[in-house]
């Protein structure tokens, strides 16, 4: 992470998602929300899921199961870049000012309803209608 900007490369995403998810789920049973914002929606659409539902495929690809998320999908029709901001966080890790760490993940998304990623996620979450595949551009630690 750059000390000047607080911007992380996409390559650090596994660590950030783990910090927002694993410790809280295993140590105290709390689930941490993840908020997904269509940054070019007019107005922006906002939906939520649980951070433990996010699957990290690689350093720059994450998968998010979608039961709804219709507003985000509709925003993509108007935004050819499909830009998103996803926020995740955890109280169990030290941040920039004491306990608590939060991130903004900037990327672009695409909804899929077939193929290997969909099959993988459907096996995990039988209630999904689609998978939001997110290509990560950068990760910014906020607190």
């Amino acid at each position: 992470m750059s000390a000047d900007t607080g911007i992380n490369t996409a390559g650090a995403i596994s660590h950030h998602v783990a910090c927002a998810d694993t410790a809280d789920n295993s140590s105290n049973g709390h689930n941490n929300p993840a908020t997904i914002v269509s940054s070019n929606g007019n107005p922006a659409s906002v939906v939520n899921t649980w951070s433990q539902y996010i699957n990290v495929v690689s350093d720059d690809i994450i998968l998010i199961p979608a039961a709804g998320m219709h507003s985000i999908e509709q925003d993509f029709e108007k935004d050819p870049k499909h830009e998103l901001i996803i926020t995740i966080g955890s109280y169990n890790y030290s941040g920039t000012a004491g306990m608590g760490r939060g991130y903004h993940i900037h990327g672009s998304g695409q909804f899929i309803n077939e193929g290997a990623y969909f099959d993988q996620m459907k096996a995990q979450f039988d209630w999904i209608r689609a998978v939001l595949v997110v290509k990560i551009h950068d990760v910014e630690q906020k607190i």
Side-chain angles (χ1 to χ4, degrees):
M1 174 173 19
S2 163
D4 301 333
T5 64
I7 301 292
N8 290 280
T9 63
I13 188 58
S14 314
H15 171 73
H16 301 311
V17 170
C19 287
D21 176 31
T22 342
D24 282 340
N25 292 327
S26 61
S27 65
N28 64 16
H30 291 200
N31 296 320
N32 292 313
T35 301
I36 304 161
V37 180
S38 61
S39 50
N40 284 335
N42 190 13
S45 293
V46 179
V47 299
N48 294 289
T49 190
W50 298 110
S51 62
Q52 75 266 22
Y53 290 175
I54 298 173
N55 282 358
V56 178
V57 174
S58 66
D59 288 341
D60 63 346
I61 299 288
I62 59 175
L63 307 177
I64 303 172
M69 299 190 191
H70 298 287
S71 58
I72 300 289
E73 197 166 27
Q74 289 169 354
D75 286 348
F76 284 178
E77 294 171 9
K78 299 175 247 166
D79 173 19
K81 294 183 181 180
H82 300 185
E83 293 183 8
L84 298 169
I85 300 169
I86 302 167
T87 65
I88 58 174
S90 172
Y91 182 76
N92 286 351
Y93 287 86
S94 294
T96 59
M99 289 307 288
R101 190 182 293 183
Y103 297 95
H104 286 185
I105 300 168
H106 303 267
S108 54
Q110 173 186 2
F111 285 93
I112 62 167
N113 56 18
E114 63 183 5
Y117 286 158
F118 179 80
D119 294 343
Q120 169 190 334
M121 294 295 281
K122 185 73 171 176
Q124 237 182 310
F125 308 102
D126 63 354
W127 43 263
I128 66 172
R129 67 167 187 88
V131 173
L132 177 56
V133 180
V134 179
K135 168 80 171 154
I136 299 165
H137 304 300
D138 65 67
V139 180
E140 181 181 9
Q141 184 172 350
K142 299 305 285 185
I143 59 173

